[in-house]
Amino acid sequence: MNGDLVFQVGKKFEGRGRMLRDIVLVHGGGQGAWVWAETIAAIRVEAGATAGRIFCLNVPGCGDKRGQDTTGMSIPDVIDELASELDANNVSDALLVGHSQAGTLLPGLCAARSDRIARAVYFTCAAPDVGQTVVQMMGGGIHGSHQREVGWPRDPATTSSSEMFHAGFCNDMDEKQSRTFAAKLGMDHWPTACATEWSKWHYDSGCYVPVTYVLALADNILPLAWQERFAARLNASRLVRLDCGHQGMNTRPYSLAEILIEEARVPYVGAGH
């Protein structure tokens, strides 16, 4: 870990009165931009008049792109499409934030648009080993059963999909939150090849912009030890620890908003800036 500087929620930073730079949010697998609604609302409340522009990018097949033909699309195609959206919105000096599977997109976006992105935040993001697909990274066993596989919170051979979903994504939600969240799922689909075929990863985003990784301490999809491994792979120079599960943007929106607000105000030093 480069520097291994740890930021805790509640730490005070200089420049609290500065306007926030643009914030760009990228969702994870099986979700859409809708997943950020609670956190965006919290940013608006906490930052007040200093809040700037906030953009949510939808991966093809998700959110307002449901129904888009994603046949033949893979990671480079998704990166190209999202990069074009940054251009179309004239995004500049931005904080780029990704969740979960978006960890497979942010390095390429940072490389492609280092002139528009000031820094990147990975919130409990996956970063498969080079030569390994997302599906291979997750594996088919339980957590800890294979050295190179993340595994699952329950045995996939004996656990229903609904039980697996609840164990992995809803472990820090109450019953009402769980039902509400589950009702939104099933309509957002990344291009299949992003998880099943692509394995030519490049983790040099730290060479273009400063990288922070937010560790979700109670994540039951990506265990903490794996998050720490991914953070190192992504060249993160800062770590933040947040006591939440995988969906912290829904269960701890104000805490995550606080982290993002401070990150959006931190002066940056990066190549080309």
Side-chain angles (χ1 to χ4, degrees):
M1 188 66 56
N2 300 333
D4 196 24
L5 178 63
V6 179
F7 288 173
Q8 297 286 359
V9 174
K11 182 177 176 62
K12 302 299 182 182
F13 290 83
E14 295 180 358
R16 188 168 287 274
R18 292 177 53 204
M19 288 294 296
L20 303 189
R21 45 173 73 107
D22 288 348
I23 298 176
V24 180
L25 305 168
V26 187
H27 62 85
Q31 301 174 22
W34 54 264
V35 80
W36 296 106
E38 291 95 333
T39 296
I40 292 172
I43 292 172
R44 296 292 187 197
V45 170
E46 293 298 305
T50 67
R53 301 192 300 170
I54 303 176
F55 299 93
C56 291
L57 303 184
N58 276 300
V59 170
C62 304
D64 60 11
K65 298 178 183 176
R66 292 172 183 170
Q68 178 178 341
D69 183 5
T70 60
T71 303
M73 294 188 73
S74 192
I75 292 293
D77 306 294
V78 176
I79 290 172
D80 287 345
E81 182 168 318
L82 299 188
S84 294
E85 292 176 17
L86 297 181
D87 296 338
N89 287 285
N90 196 28
V91 170
S92 64
D93 190 32
L95 174 68
L96 180 64
V97 183
H99 173 241
S100 194
Q101 194 176 345
T104 63
L105 299 175
L106 262 61
L109 273 174
C110 289
R113 295 296 185 272
S114 61
D115 58 330
R116 295 190 180 278
I117 299 168
R119 62 186 305 111
V121 172
Y122 293 80
F123 173 45
T124 186
C125 277
D129 200 0
V130 175
Q132 184 183 50
T133 67
V134 171
V135 169
Q136 290 169 338
M137 176 200 74
M138 291 305 299
I142 61 173
H143 290 156
S145 59
H146 298 282
Q147 185 176 1
R148 294 189 69 242
E149 298 177 359
V150 173
W152 300 92
R154 303 285 187 273
D155 185 352
T158 59
T159 306
S160 69
S161 58
S162 61
E163 290 173 330
M164 187 72 78
F165 163 80
H166 191 273
F169 292 93
C170 305
N171 59 305
D172 65 336
M173 296 182 185
D174 60 31
E175 186 176 350
K176 181 179 179 181
Q177 282 180 308
S178 180
R179 286 199 309 267
T180 300
F181 182 67
K184 298 177 181 179
L185 297 178
M187 296 179 286
D188 302 291
H189 306 283
W190 283 43
T192 302
C194 291
T196 62
E197 297 180 16
W198 188 260
S199 63
K200 300 176 182 178
W201 313 109
H202 297 280
Y203 296 121
D204 53 4
S205 61
C207 300
Y208 298 94
V209 300
V211 171
T212 294
Y213 194 104
V214 180
L215 301 159
L217 301 183
D219 194 329
N220 219 14
I221 285 290
L222 301 179
L224 181 59
W226 275 96
Q227 292 179 62
E228 291 172 338
R229 187 184 302 189
F230 295 148
R233 194 171 288 166
L234 291 162
N235 300 300
S237 58
R238 294 187 177 99
L239 295 178
V240 182
R241 293 172 170 84
L242 183 58
D243 187 12
C244 67
H246 194 68
Q247 297 299 136
M249 71 277 287
N250 309 115
T251 60
R252 297 289 303 280
Y254 279 86
S255 294
L256 182 59
E258 181 181 349
I259 293 168
L260 299 184
I261 288 168
E262 300 301 351
E263 287 289 323
R265 287 183 176 140
V266 174
Y268 66 86
V269 177
H273 297 293

